[in-house]
Amino acid sequence: MNERYSRQILFSEIGKEGQEKLLNSRVLLVGCGALGASHAEILARAGVGFLRIVDRDFVELTNLQRQTLYSEADARERLPKAIAARKRIREINSEIETEAIVADVNYSNIESLVKDCDLVLDGTDNFQIRYLINDACVKLNKIWIYGAAVSAYGATMTIMPQKTPCLRCIFEEMPSAGSAPTCDTAGVIQPIISSISAIQTTEALKILTGNTDRLHKSLIQIDVWNNDWRKIKLGKPNEDCETCARANFEFLDSETGEFSAVLCGRNAVQIAPPRATRINLPQLAERLESLGEVKQNEYLVRFTTGANELTIFADARAIIRGTDDIAVARSLYAKFVGS
Ligand SMILES: [Zn+2]
């Protein structure tokens, strides 16, 4: 084994054997914003052999304060986060494999993203998708690590299906939209990201090296500004839990799957087609050229019309800025992209 990992191998609980296990591990990172970028960097440096990074968004200037993998050039070029992350990770550790997927994670793809991975890390920013991850991981019996951070506050919990409470055992109902503060309404400072990510990735290292007896087995809540650290011990899974007791995986059900979503606090809506499809981006750009300002790269087309900006990805998804009204966004999508 090369000297790259020598200090980690010297750490006796990992050792040579643990390092081998890391190199043979496959991890799914759902979301590559602030938490996800930190997960990706730490696990890539640690030598996790395969990282699948899935993110639906592109890099913007407002991300740079906390999303440590990205540069000004990424924001200028509006690179999708998954692509920019892979580019940076290749510079950090060219010996591991990184797969970048620019997509919205939803009921139609979550199981295939999860099933050939050993572990799933939550780097998302909303509960809808966390319940989806929870359903898929409980169904497929994969460990996942919940993480959230906003303002100076964060929380994390490691979920081992059937052994520890799942997300739904703890939070039975999804918090209603708009009820919780978000990074876009309450802001966020970077140190809480690093703190939560540090706990999540340490748990990941323990799991992947077979040291599950060292897991913290708690819901950890931290407020780095008000100096408040809490560790709530978790008991057994809830015997009435819809997900892990009754195996009612309703978030994986297409009937309840949501395909358009208001991106909280961003004055933007995401529209996604109901079925998987690909769009010919150069053709679309050409078609839109006479109708407004068009910019494009290999991964997306950005089109400005009046007060609205449409960013259309190759998977036919669009993020529509300048409105938080789904009906308005849908009509803009139908008009310029097609229905
Ligand atoms: Zn449960």
Side-chain angles (χ1 to χ4, degrees):
M1 207 167 304
N2 61 37
E3 64 182 295
R4 177 194 293 264
Y5 306 112
S6 60
R7 300 303 184 274
Q8 192 164 275
I9 290 167
L10 276 173
F11 179 67
S12 63
E13 299 227 12
I14 292 182
K16 248 191 162 136
E17 201 184 319
Q19 189 61 50
E20 283 289 353
K21 286 181 180 160
L22 291 178
L23 289 165
N24 289 316
S25 296
R26 300 172 62 86
V27 175
L28 169 65
L29 305 180
V30 185
C32 202
L35 280 173
S38 176
H39 302 152
E41 176 169 359
I42 291 170
L43 297 183
R45 288 187 192 276
V48 170
F50 173 83
L51 295 175
R52 174 175 291 146
I53 302 174
V54 193
D55 192 280
R56 67 183 181 186
D57 217 340
F58 51 85
V59 182
E60 296 178 275
L61 199 60
T62 58
N63 302 149
L64 302 186
Q65 158 259 355
R66 65 194 179 283
Q67 304 190 12
T68 52
L69 278 182
Y70 307 129
S71 67
E72 291 180 0
D74 297 332
R76 251 193 325 271
E77 292 167 35
R78 299 202 149 220
L79 277 186
K81 289 181 182 176
I83 303 292
R86 182 183 58 189
K87 180 173 69 102
R88 176 75 182 120
I89 284 168
R90 279 184 178 161
E91 293 168 352
I92 292 170
N93 189 347
S94 60
E95 295 170 11
I96 63 160
E97 191 188 337
T98 313
E99 182 186 16
I101 300 178
V102 184
D104 185 42
V105 176
N106 56 52
Y107 71 83
S108 73
N109 58 9
I110 180 85
E111 290 182 67
S112 66
L113 293 169
V114 168
K115 74 178 175 215
D116 60 346
C117 287
D118 304 305
L119 177 67
V120 179
L121 262 74
D122 171 20
T124 70
D125 60 1
N126 69 84
F127 259 86
Q128 178 85 30
I129 191 159
R130 290 188 185 114
Y131 281 95
L132 187 73
I133 297 171
N134 190 59
D135 269 13
C137 288
V138 170
K139 185 177 173 187
L140 299 169
N141 193 27
K142 303 281 184 183
I143 303 175
W144 76 280
I145 306 174
Y146 155 71
V150 63
S151 184
Y153 166 85
T156 178
M157 177 168 90
T158 300
I159 291 144
M160 303 174 81
Q162 308 305 337
K163 295 196 178 101
T164 68
C166 80
L167 189 72
R168 206 136 180 227
C169 291
I170 304 289
F171 306 106
E172 213 168 308
E173 297 290 331
M174 191 170 348
S176 57
S179 68
T182 72
C183 295
D184 298 291
T185 56
V188 59
I189 57 171
Q190 211 288 330
I192 188 60
I193 304 293
S194 292
S195 306
I196 293 298
S197 171
I199 298 170
Q200 284 182 287
T201 49
T202 308
E203 292 277 281
L205 295 179
K206 295 172 193 170
I207 291 161
L208 298 174
T209 57
N211 289 291
T212 49
D213 56 321
R214 296 304 214 177
L215 296 173
H216 60 65
K217 299 182 183 74
S218 313
L219 172 63
I220 291 182
Q221 298 172 318
I222 301 174
D223 185 327
V224 288
W225 200 263
N226 295 305
N227 316 307
D228 193 15
W229 276 260
R230 274 175 219 201
K231 200 171 149 196
I232 302 159
K233 273 278 165 211
L234 296 173
K236 292 238 173 312
N238 176 356
E239 285 171 14
D240 296 319
C241 176
E242 282 298 328
T243 304
C244 68
R246 299 201 178 121
N248 174 19
F249 304 118
E250 59 185 337
F251 292 90
L252 298 177
D253 182 353
S254 63
E255 295 295 309
T256 51
E258 174 67 83
F259 266 104
S260 45
V262 178
L263 302 179
C264 197
R266 276 180 57 182
N267 194 28
V269 174
Q270 173 183 261
I271 300 287
R275 274 174 301 278
T277 176
R278 303 297 290 177
I279 221 165
N280 184 325
L281 291 176
Q283 222 169 60
L284 175 71
E286 203 183 303
R287 189 152 58 79
L288 294 175
E289 222 120 61
S290 61
L291 303 170
E293 190 200 327
V294 176
K295 284 188 179 163
Q296 64 165 314
N297 63 33
E298 195 181 333
Y299 311 101
L300 55 84
V301 168
R302 183 166 48 122
F303 171 61
T304 311
T305 172
N308 296 105
E309 181 192 287
L310 285 71
T311 302
I312 305 122
F313 297 87
D315 63 358
R317 246 173 349 101
I319 291 175
I320 294 160
R321 268 203 175 165
T323 182
D324 50 16
D325 184 334
I326 288 181
V328 169
R330 274 194 192 287
S331 92
L332 284 165
Y333 185 94
K335 192 168 165 191
F336 294 111
V337 187
S339 45

